[in-house]
PDB file of all heavy atoms in Angstrom:
ATOM      1  N   ALA A 176      -8.657 -15.151  12.264  1.00  0.00           N
ATOM      2  CA  ALA A 176      -7.764 -16.201  11.766  1.00  0.00           C
ATOM      3  C   ALA A 176      -8.135 -17.562  12.330  1.00  0.00           C
ATOM      4  O   ALA A 176      -8.083 -18.582  11.626  1.00  0.00           O
ATOM      5  CB  ALA A 176      -6.320 -15.854  12.110  1.00  0.00           C
ATOM      6  N   ASP A 177      -8.535 -17.606  13.593  1.00  0.00           N
ATOM      7  CA  ASP A 177      -8.895 -18.871  14.239  1.00  0.00           C
ATOM      8  C   ASP A 177     -10.166 -19.458  13.633  1.00  0.00           C
ATOM      9  O   ASP A 177     -10.251 -20.663  13.385  1.00  0.00           O
ATOM     10  CB  ASP A 177      -9.075 -18.642  15.736  1.00  0.00           C
ATOM     11  CG  ASP A 177      -9.465 -19.919  16.456  1.00  0.00           C
ATOM     12  OD1 ASP A 177      -8.699 -20.897  16.384  1.00  0.00           O
ATOM     13  OD2 ASP A 177     -10.549 -19.952  17.076  1.00  0.00           O
ATOM     14  N   VAL A 178     -11.135 -18.600  13.373  1.00  0.00           N
ATOM     15  CA  VAL A 178     -12.421 -19.082  12.856  1.00  0.00           C
ATOM     16  C   VAL A 178     -12.343 -19.432  11.381  1.00  0.00           C
ATOM     17  O   VAL A 178     -12.926 -20.430  10.930  1.00  0.00           O
ATOM     18  CB  VAL A 178     -13.525 -18.019  13.100  1.00  0.00           C
ATOM     19  CG1 VAL A 178     -14.835 -18.432  12.439  1.00  0.00           C
ATOM     20  CG2 VAL A 178     -13.717 -17.795  14.588  1.00  0.00           C
ATOM     21  N   LEU A 179     -11.607 -18.659  10.592  1.00  0.00           N
ATOM     22  CA  LEU A 179     -11.670 -18.769   9.133  1.00  0.00           C
ATOM     23  C   LEU A 179     -10.399 -19.304   8.484  1.00  0.00           C
ATOM     24  O   LEU A 179     -10.399 -19.574   7.286  1.00  0.00           O
ATOM     25  CB  LEU A 179     -11.986 -17.390   8.526  1.00  0.00           C
ATOM     26  CG  LEU A 179     -13.326 -16.797   8.942  1.00  0.00           C
ATOM     27  CD1 LEU A 179     -13.438 -15.372   8.426  1.00  0.00           C
ATOM     28  CD2 LEU A 179     -14.470 -17.646   8.404  1.00  0.00           C
ATOM     29  N   SER A 180      -9.292 -19.425   9.244  1.00  0.00           N
ATOM     30  CA  SER A 180      -8.012 -19.857   8.674  1.00  0.00           C
ATOM     31  C   SER A 180      -7.706 -19.076   7.392  1.00  0.00           C
ATOM     32  O   SER A 180      -7.416 -19.647   6.336  1.00  0.00           O
ATOM     33  CB  SER A 180      -8.024 -21.359   8.396  1.00  0.00           C
ATOM     34  OG  SER A 180      -8.234 -22.084   9.577  1.00  0.00           O
ATOM     35  N   PHE A 181      -7.756 -17.767   7.506  1.00  0.00           N
ATOM     36  CA  PHE A 181      -7.583 -16.887   6.360  1.00  0.00           C
ATOM     37  C   PHE A 181      -6.115 -16.798   5.952  1.00  0.00           C
ATOM     38  O   PHE A 181      -5.215 -16.760   6.791  1.00  0.00           O
ATOM     39  CB  PHE A 181      -8.094 -15.491   6.710  1.00  0.00           C
ATOM     40  CG  PHE A 181      -7.895 -14.476   5.622  1.00  0.00           C
ATOM     41  CD1 PHE A 181      -8.565 -14.582   4.427  1.00  0.00           C
ATOM     42  CD2 PHE A 181      -7.018 -13.413   5.815  1.00  0.00           C
ATOM     43  CE1 PHE A 181      -8.388 -13.645   3.422  1.00  0.00           C
ATOM     44  CE2 PHE A 181      -6.830 -12.470   4.827  1.00  0.00           C
ATOM     45  CZ  PHE A 181      -7.512 -12.582   3.632  1.00  0.00           C
ATOM     46  N   ARG A 182      -5.867 -16.772   4.631  1.00  0.00           N
ATOM     47  CA  ARG A 182      -4.518 -16.608   4.099  1.00  0.00           C
ATOM     48  C   ARG A 182      -4.600 -15.776   2.820  1.00  0.00           C
ATOM     49  O   ARG A 182      -5.627 -15.781   2.124  1.00  0.00           O
ATOM     50  CB  ARG A 182      -3.884 -17.966   3.799  1.00  0.00           C
ATOM     51  CG  ARG A 182      -4.618 -18.715   2.693  1.00  0.00           C
ATOM     52  CD  ARG A 182      -4.210 -20.167   2.602  1.00  0.00           C
ATOM     53  NE  ARG A 182      -4.882 -20.838   1.492  1.00  0.00           N
ATOM     54  CZ  ARG A 182      -6.131 -21.305   1.565  1.00  0.00           C
ATOM     55  NH1 ARG A 182      -6.813 -21.187   2.698  1.00  0.00           N
ATOM     56  NH2 ARG A 182      -6.684 -21.901   0.529  1.00  0.00           N
ATOM     57  N   ALA A 183      -3.526 -15.061   2.498  1.00  0.00           N
ATOM     58  CA  ALA A 183      -3.519 -14.236   1.292  1.00  0.00           C
ATOM     59  C   ALA A 183      -2.105 -13.816   0.949  1.00  0.00           C
ATOM     60  O   ALA A 183      -1.231 -13.738   1.810  1.00  0.00           O
ATOM     61  CB  ALA A 183      -4.397 -12.994   1.480  1.00  0.00           C
ATOM     62  N   ASN A 184      -1.881 -13.556  -0.328  1.00  0.00           N
ATOM     63  CA  ASN A 184      -0.672 -12.852  -0.757  1.00  0.00           C
ATOM     64  C   ASN A 184      -1.045 -11.930  -1.909  1.00  0.00           C
ATOM     65  O   ASN A 184      -2.091 -12.114  -2.548  1.00  0.00           O
ATOM     66  CB  ASN A 184       0.462 -13.819  -1.127  1.00  0.00           C
ATOM     67  CG  ASN A 184       0.056 -14.775  -2.231  1.00  0.00           C
ATOM     68  OD1 ASN A 184      -0.350 -14.371  -3.305  1.00  0.00           O
ATOM     69  ND2 ASN A 184       0.182 -16.067  -1.964  1.00  0.00           N
ATOM     70  N   ARG A 185      -0.199 -10.943  -2.163  1.00  0.00           N
ATOM     71  CA  ARG A 185      -0.521  -9.948  -3.180  1.00  0.00           C
ATOM     72  C   ARG A 185       0.739  -9.477  -3.875  1.00  0.00           C
ATOM     73  O   ARG A 185       1.823  -9.454  -3.298  1.00  0.00           O
ATOM     74  CB  ARG A 185      -1.250  -8.751  -2.571  1.00  0.00           C
ATOM     75  CG  ARG A 185      -0.437  -7.971  -1.571  1.00  0.00           C
ATOM     76  CD  ARG A 185      -1.236  -6.812  -0.997  1.00  0.00           C
ATOM     77  NE  ARG A 185      -1.486  -5.766  -1.985  1.00  0.00           N
ATOM     78  CZ  ARG A 185      -2.349  -4.776  -1.811  1.00  0.00           C
ATOM     79  NH1 ARG A 185      -3.058  -4.703  -0.698  1.00  0.00           N
ATOM     80  NH2 ARG A 185      -2.519  -3.854  -2.739  1.00  0.00           N
TER      81      ARG A 185
END
Side-chain angles (χ1 to χ4, degrees):
D177 179 59
V178 174
L179 298 173
S180 299
F181 176 66
R182 65 193 183 279
N184 58 56
R185 63 181 291 167

